[in-house]
Structure formats: C-alpha cells, structure tokens
C-alpha cells in the first residue's frame, strides 16, 4: 500500500505541509487534523466523527455491499486493469464518454448505464472522488459499514455508543435551532448511523405521508397508552415515534378532505419507482416540509456482486444514476440548497473471480452532489493499479479518508447559502 | 425436542392472471385454494420453482416462500411451545438467507425443514454442515459458482464472520500473515485473517448444486437442486486454514469438511454464539459471566448430539436468576398475533393469505433481509418507526378483520347494558396480563368517548379493544420457559407426544 501517496493528495495537502512523518491514514485523518488540534469540530480517535455544523441538509446515499467503483468509473486503458479483468468483465465506452475523466495520468470512463451521472458531472453538480476509505484493513461488510456509520477509525476503539449522525445532532444541539426532525432515514429500518438518537423517522416511502393506521385517533391512543405505561422499557421509544409521526404528518400539505397530498417532484426527471429513488423522494418531501432536517440517510442495497456482476451492475448503476438526477432536479427546481454524498463500505478486488464477479476489496469510489461544488474534476489521488501500488497486493489503495469527503461536502453546502 | 411443523391443515388461496412464458407458451389464470403442499417437498420438486425449464408460471414461483410464511404463523398460533419457534427463528437469522433471489427462495421449505427444524436442538457442527451443503445457502453465498483458479470468497468469508468465529475474531487489521496471529505457530490461532478466507474459499471450490450446468466433455449436471461435489471444479492443491496444513489431493469434500470442523470447534465460535444467544434471549447488555458460562456449556458439549439443547437449558437457568423486567425482548409480529387471537378467542383464518403482506411490514419479512448478517434484534431497531407503524396496523387489522381473518365477540362475558369502560376493563387482563389503573378512562378520553355510555356497535368495540394491543407492554415479553416447563416439553417429545 502506498500510504505515502496520501500525503500528496490535494485535500491532504495541508497535512503534508505540516511535515508529518510517515503514518497510517487513520492516524493522519483522525488524530492530526487541524480542526481537531484547534478544538473545533473534527474527528478524534477519542471523540469519533463530528462534522462542522451544516447549514444545508446533508444526505448520504449508501451503496450497501461494497460497490465496484472500478466498474462505475472504469480505467479501461490501464494495462493493469485490462490484465486483471477479462473482456466480459469490462465494457466498451458509450457515446457520452467522448472525453474521459482524468485522474493523474489515468483516464476514467463512465459505465454505459451512468449517463445521468455524466450529465450531472458536466453540469458541475456532481464530482467523483476516487480511492476513498479508511486505514483499517477490514474486508468485512458489517465491520466496514459499522466503522463508517459510527464515524470511528476502527471498531477496536469506540468513543461512545452513537452513530455519527446521532452524535453530530447532539453536539450541535445548542447552536442550531431545535428542529422537529433532525434525522431521517429513507428506509424502513433505522441505520446504525443514527444509533442512539430518539424519535428517528425511518420510512422508505412518504409519497402519501405516513398513513398511520386508524388515523389521528389511533395516534392519540398510542400516545395515551405510552403515558399510562411510562415505566415500561418500550414506552419511551414508542412515544417518541408516535409524537414524531404526528408532528411530521401535520407539516405535510393536505387536500381539501384533509388527507396528505401525494408528493410530486418539481423537477423534469421523475423519480423512478425503485431504490434509492423512493427513499430520496421521501427525503425531498421532508426537506420541503421544513421540519429542521439536518441529516438524511438512504440505503441502496445489492452491490455485493460476487457473481453475475455485469448484468447486476447494469441495473444497479442505472437505478442509482436515475435516482440522483431526479433528486437534484427536484431540489434545483425548488431552489433548495443541499449536499449529498454517495459512499460504500469498500471497493472490490481488482482481479475478478471465476463466477463472473468480484470479491471484497479496499479503496472505493465516492461522489459528492450538491448545489455549490467546485466541480468538473475528479477529486482524490489515484494510487494506480500496479501490483506495488495495490493495498496488500490485491486491492485499490485508499488515499482519502471518508471523513474528508463528508467534511468537504459540508463545506461546499455551507458556501451555497 | 421436536420442532417440526404441527398444525391443522389449511388451504391457502393462490390467484394470478393468465400469461405467457418467455418462449410464447401460455399459462392459464388460477384462482383456487391449495393445500400447503411444498412444506414437505423434496429438492427436485422445488427445483422447478427456480424457474428452470419454465415449468411453473412466474407468478407462482414465490409459493414456496408464501407457504413457509403462512406455516410459521400457523405454527406460532397452534404450538403450546412458542419459545421453540423463537429458537428456530434465532437459527433462521443466524444462517440468514434472502428469499428475494429466486434460486434461494425455491428451496426454502426444504431448508427450514431439514436444516433449521431438524438440527436446531442438536449439534452445532451438524447444523453448520447441513447449511453448507444446502442449495439455498450455496446459491445465496455464491459457492455453487465457485471454481478453482479464482475462487468465489463470499461463502468462506461469511462462514468465518457470521456463522462461526465472528467478527471479533477477524484480525486482518492487526496481522497480514498467518504466522503472526497469536497461537498460529502451535496450530491454535486466536482468530482469522484474509489469508484464511482465501484458503477456505479454495477448500469449498466444487461444492455446488445439480442445476444442469455444463461440466465439460459435452456433459451436464442433472437438474435436481441437490448438493453435488464436482471434482473438476475443486482446487486440489495444498492449503493452510487457521494454521492447519491441508495436504494436496485430500479426497472428495475433505478440504471443505475440514474447514467446517475447524470452525465449529474453534473457541471463538463458542464465544460468538454465546454472545449472540445471551443478547437475543436474555438481555441486550449481558454481563461477561453470562456469555462465558454459555460459551463453556457450548464447548463442553461440542461432541454431543444434544449440544444445542444443553445450551438452551443453560440460557433458561441464567434467565431465571433475573427479574422479569430485565429480560424483556420484543415480540415477533407472528407471536403478537398469536397472543392477541388467543386473548380474544379468535380462530384466525389465514386461507385468503391477505395477512402475509401486513405481517411483513411489521418487521423484516421471514427470509426478507438482504444481507447475510440477518435482521437487527435490538429493541430500538425492532420498534423502528416503520416497523412500529406496521405493528399497529397488523394488530388493529387482526382485531378489526381487515384481511378476512375472522370476527370475534367483543361482548363475550358482558351484560346487555355494558358501557365502554366495562368493555375495556373486561379485555385488559386477557390482552395485557393485568389491569392498569386509569387506562380505560384515559384511552376512552383520547377517543372522545364517554366511558359511561352503553356500547352496542361491535365494530367500534373491536376497534377499541384492538387499541389495547398497541400498548408498550404488549410488544414485549420474556419468552423463555421455566426449567420445569422446558423439561416437561423434553419428556413429552421423547415420548413422541408431539408427533
């Protein structure tokens, strides 16, 4: 692994300028960050990730399973890539790839199903960030997801029992106005990133509001039962949720009959009825309702392509690209500033397996999308695919800590207000 | 102990429109009530439900899973031992499979019968071995397509991390070479690293499914869905797994079986399983002593054909030392329905099948969790906003007969001039296990209902009583039996009382 290259990256330049000695990426990003030293928001090994307060909603779309970044933006001309992947595991560049993206001396080509991403990139609304990850050598989905969601350097050192979004909301509670709904998950389950926060609303599809069975009378019944049984361990959890449902539903616009109006995108591209678009449409609805949203999280599952990778990625990339462009157009049409980060737990092995798939790797591909990016270029330092540049000789190395991507997204989002 | 399905037979509606197979052949519309015939089916019969050869119309291909979901609900309702069902559920989640994949889904009734319900009271090494050779697992974690040369690592990795040693024994961050792992040089490494995953993946190459795939020389595998070891796909050269040297050409399936054995008997496996079991059945934040003693029982009875029964008995003994309120777990939606229907005397009719959808909104559906770590179990996650909403919908829907599951008499045991307050007082104890002071009047106030008014509308009465089941205390319980109940169940099953 070429850890030294981390020192040369554009964003880590400030670290290099401090003349730091050779050190693991984890130590650099977490312990030595200037924000941390000045006592400002940062991410210390003891405190866990705390981002600077964001003035716009920060949304994370998480590609669960370890997305193969090497197939989304593909180094098709790189002889090491060509040698490691047989022809059926590579693609032929499409018409919209007339000009490859450059990272260092390597050219990257968009996947044929990623045309919406190319459009967003050309419009300066989306930037790719290559070789993102963390220093820990884990290739376990669940450990890697947990490291990112808890906002820590490694699962061996846990500062608290919180997910980073829950931690951030608590840390900024005094400074920011008390929002009704600081956290929203566009899935039916509560992700670890919100672990420890109360009253989290997790709902994949809010197009028709919350549709609580039995209507408002049923809300009131649940609230009453929770109060009567206030000593019960489940009572507090249930009461928080009941109150959140009630308040959020009230914030949605109603029809003359008093029902929640179906949500309609203000953008030209409709939200496709697939993940992650359904969850993103719900985020858009929450943003529009103006209930103090600070962070949202939407999962897109199914990226663990150990076999039949080509066909599966084609569908996944198509859905995910169409979802992102629909969300951006909707937000733009509403003049709503935002910041969105796409990330995954790790990339995949450079060499593919004989099931026409690929196994767990290390460095991954991230994207930042938003209303005020310094766009039109590839972020992050490309470590290369020669065997001495690969992490443990097999995987794309990591040159940017995932926390740096999140911090930059917050910084760009703040500029847009 | 016998956890096979035991419930009165039913016919479940199957309904779909006419359509065409991809090759243009037509299949007719179907609307009929069919017995749950796939629960006892063998693999070749279920193989057709993968869609192979287009013998089963596409809208019918999820029937194996739907039958299984309905069967689990019926079993939960009719069993005198609901704690056995929660034990089966633990192993279902431990070896979690995703039924959204048609190849996995087709074989699930066989998986549940021959892996989970057959072995869950037996020996861990045996349930592990049965899981490794089952087509649902071979498809789900892609081992069926793993070939010598560049093995598919999916199964091997999850075998270590999720099925056996656990993620706290994954030491890849600390060690890059096998010999550096503490204990490796004396053949007892404390954990595993990626090198072990790679070598284990090689060990399982050739473990596949008879699915018609070509095996060279113009020959193909038969289409039965059965496990097969294909020698030509196996990597026969020497390996090293958990610091144990494997000789080259060890013989058919020997490499893989040896990996399973090494994993099943590793101390980290005992600890990982003990930790999961105690958290699931006793409390979310157990003491280290609870975990250690459970791991010790697991290890001591490693060779016993009743290893897991012994572990269960130990869990019960541990739980009995704790006050009830400290060992509450969230009731599964099926269990909640079973308790509610029993409390109100409703003989639930599921033949329309319409209750399956709402059941699957109240928690992750059975075999509906995509990634192999299985669904989350903490109270906060099981009562997340979406699942809580689904839970309230399910309980109210059952109480009010939204899905043609049947009606019950809310005025049972009440005189003709019963008031709303009397109605709720009547049903508190059966549903909540006791009276809550002030509950009836507060609940009625929240519904703008005068407690002293006479109630005559049955639907309104059912609705109000159904709301009682939305109380926090109805959502949890400590499901473990007492030691005495457990021993009685064991005696009965050894006498064949359950069969």
């Amino acid at each position: 692994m070429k850890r030294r290259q981390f020192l040369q990256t554009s964003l880590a330049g400030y670290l290099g300028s401090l003349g730091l000695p050779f050190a693991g990426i984890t130590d650099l990003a977490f312990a030595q960050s200037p924000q941390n030293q000045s006592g400002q928001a940062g991410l210390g090994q003891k405190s866990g990730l705390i981002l600077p307060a964001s003035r716009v909603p920060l949304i994370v779309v998480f590609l669960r399973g370890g997305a193969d970044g090497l197939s989304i933006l593909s180094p098709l001309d790189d002889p090491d890539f060509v040698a490691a992947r047989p022809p059926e595991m590579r693609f032929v560049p499409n018409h919209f790839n007339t000009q490859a993206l450059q990272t260092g001396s390597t050219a990257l080509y968009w996947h044929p199903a990623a045309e919406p991403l190319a459009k967003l990139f050309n419009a300066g609304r989306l930037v790719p960030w290559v070789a993102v990850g963390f220093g820990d050598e884990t290739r376990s989905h669940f450990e890697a997801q947990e490291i990112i969601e808890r906002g820590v350097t490694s699962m061996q050192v846990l500062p608290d029992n919180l997910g980073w979004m829950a931690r951030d909301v608590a840390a900024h509670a005094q400074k920011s106005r008390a929002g009704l709904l600081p956290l929203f998950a566009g899935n039916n389950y509560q992700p670890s990133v919100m672990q420890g926060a109360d009253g989290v609303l997790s709902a994949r599809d809010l197009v028709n509001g919350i549709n609580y069975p039995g209507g408002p009378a049923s809300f009131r019944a649940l609230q009453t039962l929770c109060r009567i049984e206030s000593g019960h361990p489940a009572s507090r959890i249930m009461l928080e949720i009941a109150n959140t449902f009630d308040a959020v539903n009230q914030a949605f616009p109603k029809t003359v009959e008093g029902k929640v109006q179906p949500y309609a995108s203000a953008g030209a591209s409709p939200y496709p009825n697939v993940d992650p678009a359904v969850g993103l449409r719900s985020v858009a609805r929450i943003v529009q309702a103006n209930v103090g949203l600070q962070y949202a999280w939407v999962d897109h599952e199914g990226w663990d392509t150990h076999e039949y990778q080509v066909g599966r990625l084609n569908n996944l990339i198509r859905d995910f690209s169409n979802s992102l462009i629909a969300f951006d157009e909707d937000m733009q049409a509403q003049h709503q500033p935002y910041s969105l980060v796409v990330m995954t737990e790790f990339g995949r092995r450079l060499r593919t397996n004989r099931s026409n798939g690929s196994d767990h790797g290390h460095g991954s591909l991230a994207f930042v999308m938003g209303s005020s990016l310094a766009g039109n270029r590839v972020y992050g330092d490309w470590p290369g695919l020669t065997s001495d540049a690969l992490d443990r000789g097999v995987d794309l190395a990591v040159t940017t800590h995932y926390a740096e991507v999140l911090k930059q997204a917050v910084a760009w989002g703040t500029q847009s207000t | 102990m016998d956890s096979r399905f035991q419930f009165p037979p039913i016919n479940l509606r199957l309904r779909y429109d006419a359509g065409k197979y991809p090759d243009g052949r037509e299949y007719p519309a179907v609307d009929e009530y069919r017995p749950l015939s796939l629960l006892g089916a063998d693999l070749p019969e279920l193989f057709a439900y993968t869609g192979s050869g287009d013998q089963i119309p596409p809208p019918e291909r999820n029937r194996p899973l739907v039958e299984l979901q309905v069967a689990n609900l019926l079993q939960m309702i009719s069993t005198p031992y609901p704690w056995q069902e929660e034990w089966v559920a633990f192993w279902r989640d431990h070896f979690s499979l995703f039924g959204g994949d048609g190849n996995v889904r087709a074989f699930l009734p066989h998986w549940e019968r021959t892996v989970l319900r057959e072995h869950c009271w037996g020996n861990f090494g045996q349930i592990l071995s049965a899981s490794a050779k089952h087509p649902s697992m071979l498809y789900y974690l892609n081992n069926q397509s793993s070939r010598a040369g560049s093995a598919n690592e999916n199964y091997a990795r999850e075998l270590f991390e999720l099925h056996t040693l656990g993620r706290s024994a994954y030491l890849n961050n600390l060690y890059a070479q096998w010999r550096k792992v503490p204990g490796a040089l004396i053949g007892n490494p404390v954990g595993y690293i990626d090198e072990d995953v790679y070598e284990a993946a090689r060990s399982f190459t050739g473990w596949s499914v008879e699915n018609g795939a070509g095996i060279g020389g113009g020959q193909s595998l038969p289409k039965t869905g059965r496990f097969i070891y294909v020698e030509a796909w196996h990597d026969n050269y020497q390996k090293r797994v958990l610091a144990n040297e494997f000789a080259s050409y060890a013989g058919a399936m020997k490499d893989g079986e040896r990996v399973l054995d090494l994993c099943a008997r590793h101390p980290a496996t005992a600890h990982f399983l003990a930790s999961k079991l105690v958290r699931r059945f006793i409390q979310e934040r157990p003491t280290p002593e609870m975990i250690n003693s459970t791991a010790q029982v697991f290890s001591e009875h490693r060779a016993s054909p009743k290893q897991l029964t012994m572990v269960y008995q130990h869990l019960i003994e541990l739980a009995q030392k704790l006050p009830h309120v400290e060992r509450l777990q969230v009731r599964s939606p099926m269990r909640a329905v079973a308790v509610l229907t029993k409390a109100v005397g409703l003989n639930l009719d599921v033949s329309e099948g319409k209750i399956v959808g709402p059941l699957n909104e109240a928690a992750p559906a059975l075999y509906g969790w995509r990634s192999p770590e299985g669904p989350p179990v903490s109270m906060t996650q099981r009562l997340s906003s979406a699942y809580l909403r689904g839970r309230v919908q399910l309980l109210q829907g059952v109480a009010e007969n939204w899905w043609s599951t049947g009606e019950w008499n809310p005025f049972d045991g009440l005189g003709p001039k019963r008031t709303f307050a009397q109605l709720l007082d009547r049903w508190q104890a059966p549903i909540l296990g006791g009276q809550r002071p002030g509950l009836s009047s507060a609940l009625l106030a929240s519904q703008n209902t005068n407690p002293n008014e006479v109630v005559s509308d049955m639907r309104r009465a059912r609705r109000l009583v159904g709301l009682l089941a939305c109380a926090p205390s109805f959502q949890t319980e400590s499901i473990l039996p007492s030691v005495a109940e457990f021993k009685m169940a064991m005696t009965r099953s050894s006498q064949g009382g359950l069969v």
Side-chain angles (χ1 to χ4, degrees), chain A residues 117-264:
Chain A
L117 299 184
K119 264 193 208 167
L120 286 162
F121 175 77
N122 294 334
R125 310 278 303 178
L126 173 126
V127 294
W129 205 312
V130 296
V132 174
F134 43 70
D136 191 290
E137 279 292 337
T138 189
R139 278 158 180 77
S140 146
H141 293 295
F142 318 107
E143 202 169 50
Q145 291 175 6
E146 199 75 0
I147 285 172
I148 294 174
E149 289 185 68
R150 300 285 290 275
V152 295
T153 59
S154 146
M155 290 307 287
Q156 267 104 38
V157 187
L158 290 177
D160 51 34
N161 199 27
L162 303 172
W164 73 256
M165 285 186 175
R167 185 185 301 127
D168 279 24
V169 167
H172 301 312
Q174 273 98 34
K175 277 175 269 175
S176 57
R177 73 196 168 88
L180 179 63
L181 189 73
L183 296 173
F184 173 73
N187 323 103
N188 284 339
Y189 46 86
Q190 183 173 328
S192 299
V193 75
M194 297 175 188
Q195 181 171 309
D198 288 332
V200 170
L201 182 61
S202 38
R204 176 175 175 267
D205 193 355
L206 287 178
V207 72
N208 293 314
I210 292 166
N211 268 342
Y212 192 78
S218 207
F219 274 137
R220 293 196 303 272
L222 188 59
Q223 287 162 327
T224 303
L225 290 161
C226 289
R227 275 195 294 271
I228 296 269
E229 294 190 337
S230 59
H232 189 277
S235 176
R236 192 183 50 82
I237 301 170
M238 291 170 62
L239 185 59
E240 289 275 0
I241 294 171
N243 292 342
T244 306
F245 276 159
D246 200 2
V248 171
N249 242 5
Q250 280 181 27
F252 292 150
K254 305 289 187 305
T255 63
V256 281
E257 299 91 47
K259 290 198 160 184
V260 173
Q261 263 179 16
Y263 183 78

Side-chain angles (χ1 to χ4, degrees), chain B residues 247-490:
Chain B
S248 52
Y249 292 94
M253 297 193 286
K254 294 293 180 212
D255 291 340
E257 281 169 354
R258 196 160 164 208
V259 173
L260 293 174
D261 187 55
L262 286 169
C263 287
R265 60 174 54 248
H266 196 283
T269 299
H271 197 266
F272 175 56
L273 274 160
S275 165
K276 274 187 84 171
L277 287 165
V278 170
R279 286 191 164 85
R280 171 90 166 228
F281 289 99
I282 304 181
Q283 50 182 209
E284 278 179 37
R285 291 183 195 172
T287 63
E289 290 74 31
M290 290 186 206
I291 296 173
N292 291 339
S293 68
T294 307
Q296 200 181 338
V297 172
F298 185 94
S299 295
E300 268 171 19
H301 297 280
R302 186 157 44 207
S304 162
K306 292 221 182 307
Q307 179 192 14
L308 299 178
T309 304
M310 310 303 268
V311 170
Y312 192 77
Q313 186 169 336
H314 179 74
L315 291 172
I316 299 171
E317 287 164 3
L318 282 179
Q320 280 202 329
K321 294 178 193 153
L322 294 171
H324 184 257
V325 69
E326 286 179 24
R327 49 189 167 99
L328 291 176
Q329 307 282 329
V330 175
R331 267 180 183 153
S332 72
M334 287 185 185
R335 171 69 180 151
V337 168
V339 174
L340 176 61
T341 53
K342 192 172 178 203
V344 301
L346 169 62
N347 186 9
L348 196 79
D349 177 359
V350 300
S351 57
E352 290 296 324
K354 287 192 262 182
I355 195 177
V356 173
L359 263 177
N360 293 345
E361 287 182 39
L366 234 58
Y367 300 105
W369 194 258
R370 185 183 282 269
S371 60
E373 89 278 23
V377 293
S378 77
M379 189 175 282
T380 320
Q381 288 164 315
R382 294 181 77 177
L383 295 176
S384 81
S385 52
Y387 295 146
L388 179 63
R389 182 198 162 280
R391 183 174 281 269
V392 167
Q393 169 180 269
L394 178 67
L395 294 167
Q396 289 193 30
V398 167
E400 297 179 47
N401 191 24
W402 293 352
W403 307 296
S404 318
T405 49
E407 295 187 332
W408 51 282
N409 179 12
F411 301 140
D412 176 75
L414 292 169
K417 294 270 176 200
R418 66 260 147 172
T419 63
F420 280 101
Q422 286 166 339
L423 173 79
L424 290 189
D425 286 347
R426 153 75 180 87
W427 291 105
Q428 272 196 54
I431 292 175
L432 300 178
Q435 295 282 336
R436 308 275 184 276
L439 190 151
S440 296
S441 56
L443 188 58
L444 290 167
S446 79
Q447 306 301 298
N448 301 322
T449 300
N450 178 354
N452 299 319
E453 197 182 311
V454 171
V455 50
S456 53
D457 180 349
M458 277 218 177
R459 295 179 56 179
R460 182 152 168 71
R462 286 195 200 101
R463 176 177 149 72
L464 287 167
V465 175
L467 288 174
L468 287 175
C470 301
S473 63
F474 189 81
Q475 316 315 322
T476 62
E477 71 184 320
S478 173
I479 202 169
L480 296 176
S482 68
V483 174
E485 286 170 303
F486 178 66
K487 289 195 167 152
M488 197 185 296
M490 263 204 297

Side-chain angles (χ1 to χ4, degrees), chain B residues 58-318:
Chain B
E60 201 178 318
R61 288 179 194 162
N62 66 350
R63 180 82 181 178
L65 178 55
V66 174
E67 283 194 10
L68 204 45
Q69 289 174 329
V70 168
N72 271 283
L73 174 62
L74 292 172
Q75 174 88 344
M76 187 60 100
I77 288 171
S78 59
T79 179
Y81 310 116
W83 44 270
Q84 290 198 7
E85 294 306 300
E86 292 302 326
W87 185 244
V88 173
F90 172 85
W91 294 102
R92 189 188 294 119
D93 292 349
H94 183 71
F95 294 107
S96 188
L97 295 172
F98 178 55
D101 176 331
N103 290 320
V104 176
R105 183 175 59 217
F107 305 110
L108 287 175
H110 187 270
W111 161 269
E112 176 129 344
R113 188 175 83 242
T114 66
V115 180
L116 301 183
R117 292 180 182 270
E118 171 75 22
H119 291 291
C120 70
W121 299 103
N123 178 274
F124 178 72
Q126 286 187 11
I127 194 171
L128 181 68
S129 174
S131 74
K133 292 173 184 165
H134 197 276
S136 289
M137 183 63 80
L138 288 159
Y139 270 112
Y140 179 48
L141 293 180
N142 312 136
N143 206 75
Q144 61 84 21
S145 70
S146 187
R147 306 282 186 268
S150 204
N152 191 313
E153 291 165 20
N154 204 5
Y155 175 68
R157 184 174 294 280
E158 307 312 3
L159 167 70
F160 282 107
E161 177 175 335
L162 300 175
H163 300 170
T164 61
L165 278 73
R167 74 175 78 162
S168 60
Y170 178 48
L171 308 176
N172 210 50
N173 193 37
L174 302 174
Y175 312 106
Q177 288 117 24
W178 72 273
R179 61 175 69 245
K180 301 281 193 262
V181 179
L185 296 177
I186 52 166
N188 292 315
V190 296
Y192 70 100
I193 61 173
D194 280 350
E195 286 189 347
D196 295 298
V197 174
Y198 303 157
E199 300 276 75
R202 293 174 59 215
S203 303
F204 289 108
T205 47
W207 288 42
S208 195
V209 177
E210 289 185 342
N211 59 3
I215 47 174
Q219 292 198 304
S220 298
L221 296 174
K223 296 184 177 183
T224 67
R226 292 199 179 102
F227 171 77
I228 184 162
Y229 170 74
V230 183
E231 172 74 19
W233 295 343
H234 183 64
D235 180 341
N236 262 312
Y237 302 106
Q238 59 268 42
K239 309 171 182 75
R240 184 188 299 107
V241 179
L242 294 172
N244 282 256
E245 305 281 350
F246 289 22
S248 52
Y249 292 94
M253 297 193 286
K254 294 293 180 212
D255 291 340
E257 281 169 354
R258 196 160 164 208
V259 173
L260 293 174
D261 187 55
L262 286 169
C263 287
R265 60 174 54 248
H266 196 283
T269 299
H271 197 266
F272 175 56
L273 274 160
S275 165
K276 274 187 84 171
L277 287 165
V278 170
R279 286 191 164 85
R280 171 90 166 228
F281 289 99
I282 304 181
Q283 50 182 209
E284 278 179 37
R285 291 183 195 172
T287 63
E289 290 74 31
M290 290 186 206
I291 296 173
N292 291 339
S293 68
T294 307
Q296 200 181 338
V297 172
F298 185 94
S299 295
E300 268 171 19
H301 297 280
R302 186 157 44 207
S304 162
K306 292 221 182 307
Q307 179 192 14
L308 299 178
T309 304
M310 310 303 268
V311 170
Y312 192 77
Q313 186 169 336
H314 179 74
L315 291 172
I316 299 171
E317 287 164 3
L318 282 179

Side-chain angles (χ1 to χ4, degrees), chain A residues 279-294:
Chain A
L280 281 171
R281 185 176 60 194
S282 301
V283 173
R285 160 146 256 181
I286 294 286
V287 169
Q288 190 192 56
N290 196 21
V291 286
L293 181 74
Q294 293 173 39

